Amino acid sequence: MFGRDGGVMCAMCDGRSIEDYVVGVEGLIDRYGWALQYVSSQADAAFEGSEIQADDFQDQDDPEGIMPAFCYTVGLTAHGHPELILTGRSAGESASILNVLARRVLIGHTRFEAGGECSAGGFELSFVDVVQSEDWLLMACRVYSRDDVSAVQAVWRDSDGNLPWEGGFPSTIVQPVLGPPPGWYDEFD
């Protein structure tokens, strides 16, 4: 969860119960219209304050490697809009991008849908529908009914201007794509 200043807070680490945490999220939604839920990557936890190298943490039985961090909105469901999710960016970058997008939804009445594009927080974004959003948006599913929660992913272009499914090498290790890119219907059907 993010504080008003954008700093990441870990209420559970500070001894709050899950019920207290949910009440805190609901308070942010009541006050601002949405809250942000940031989920740290396994790498963040593994490398924080240690001398561990990336090769030391790689699980040889897990070809996917370390799951990157992700962040999502909680609150847009109440406004008839899918929640927004972003993968593979820092907490600050995620907050910057998602807060801009959420303001556009609530104040500008913008609707983000698969296949759409825009820029926010210094990134060029494309949107895809998230398959099985209930697996990713656990807090949104605690606040709302699982059946009511859906999401679109804001997918960012890399430094070469490519989306993860474009270019010579897919960049889905850094930025997992949680649904079918526009025009793709293979493994997501």
Side-chain angles (χ1 to χ4, degrees):
M1 181 167 58
F2 286 96
R4 186 166 179 220
D5 64 353
V8 178
M9 300 184 307
C10 182
M12 300 295 289
C13 299
D14 290 338
R16 290 176 60 193
S17 70
I18 187 66
E19 291 79 18
D20 290 340
Y21 187 80
V22 172
V23 167
V25 169
E26 290 171 334
L28 289 171
I29 295 167
D30 289 345
R31 185 168 187 177
Y32 300 107
W34 74 92
L36 296 179
Q37 180 66 50
Y38 184 77
V39 179
S40 296
S41 75
Q42 295 166 339
D44 292 343
F47 299 126
E48 192 168 303
S50 75
E51 300 280 329
I52 298 173
Q53 302 298 313
D55 292 342
D56 297 335
F57 192 74
Q58 183 69 31
D59 181 353
Q60 300 304 318
D61 296 328
D62 180 12
E64 299 288 322
I66 298 170
M67 177 54 119
F70 63 98
C71 187
Y72 60 92
T73 61
V74 181
L76 301 182
T77 298
H79 301 279
H81 191 282
E83 300 296 342
L84 300 166
I85 187 169
L86 185 80
T87 62
R89 300 308 309 181
S90 70
E93 290 170 321
S94 297
S96 176
I97 294 166
L98 291 177
N99 280 331
V100 166
L101 297 176
R103 274 189 216 97
R104 290 179 187 171
V105 169
L106 296 185
I107 297 169
H109 305 289
T110 302
R111 184 147 187 96
F112 296 107
E113 297 176 334
E117 295 184 347
C118 76
S119 56
F123 290 87
E124 295 298 318
L125 305 167
S126 183
F127 294 90
V128 299
D129 285 325
V130 175
V131 175
Q132 298 177 328
S133 57
E134 67 278 1
D135 291 345
W136 294 92
L137 284 70
L138 299 179
M139 183 55 64
C141 290
R142 277 195 86 100
V143 173
Y144 305 106
S145 164
R146 283 183 177 272
D147 295 335
D148 293 337
V149 175
S150 65
V152 291
Q153 180 182 4
V155 181
W156 43 273
R157 291 186 177 276
D158 66 17
S159 60
D160 293 327
N162 293 317
L163 292 165
W165 53 87
E166 298 174 337
F169 298 99
S171 61
T172 56
I173 292 172
V174 172
Q175 179 183 203
V177 179
L178 308 180
W184 291 29
Y185 298 100
D186 51 10
E187 67 182 276
F188 296 101
D189 279 342

